[in-house]
Amino acid sequence: MPEIINLGSLELKFLQTKDDTAGSIDMFEMTLQPNARMPIPHYHDSWDETIYGLTGTTTWRVDGRDIDVKPGATVFIKRGIVHGFTNRGSAPASCLCILNPGVLGPQYFKDMAVLVSASTPDPAHMKEVMLRCGVMTAAAV
């Protein structure tokens, strides 16, 4: 049964993990509620990311450029490229996310879910978890 991780306005359903695939990929379906977004522009230098649109439209800001990902569309985010995402629509939107190689796994998202659910989320602690897991913050996307 797929593992589901709730991050407030984001929900991730892990389909494959680094442990399942001997480090080949991490793969999860991400559902974003209206106005959901990645609050911290970021990049990672240990994996590439491919996004495939499933429902609705997610907007990915990749290397300073907005890319709308609708059902059937893809965007490839090469390691080291600053990016973030949002759902600007009025309905939930979902996409399939594939990280290659699989080095992140679900634990990062579980740790972030605990921080996000706190009554007063601590940005410094969030940044610490991100850095520990190889997700680097950027000033802006």
Side-chain angles (χ1 to χ4, degrees), residues 57-101:
T57 300
T58 55
T59 301
W60 293 75
R61 188 153 183 87
V62 179
D63 204 16
R65 186 172 61 109
D66 285 343
I67 302 168
D68 287 336
V69 178
K70 297 177 180 185
T74 63
V75 63
F76 175 75
I77 305 165
K78 187 171 178 54
R79 60 191 80 190
I81 300 297
V82 176
H83 60 284
F85 54 83
T86 189
N87 174 5
R88 296 178 179 156
S90 59
S94 64
C95 55
L96 183 67
C97 304
I98 302 168
L99 312 181
N100 180 29

Side-chain angles (χ1 to χ4, degrees), residues 16-19 21-27 98-103:
Q16 296 290 329
T17 71
K18 64 181 184 171
D19 298 322
T21 65
S24 293
I25 64 169
D26 284 310
M27 181 170 60
I98 302 168
L99 312 181
N100 180 29
V103 296

Side-chain angles (χ1 to χ4, degrees), residues 112-122:
M112 291 301 280
V114 169
L115 296 173
V116 168
S117 68
S119 58
T120 307
D122 179 0

Side-chain angles (χ1 to χ4, degrees), residues 23 32 102:
L32 293 82

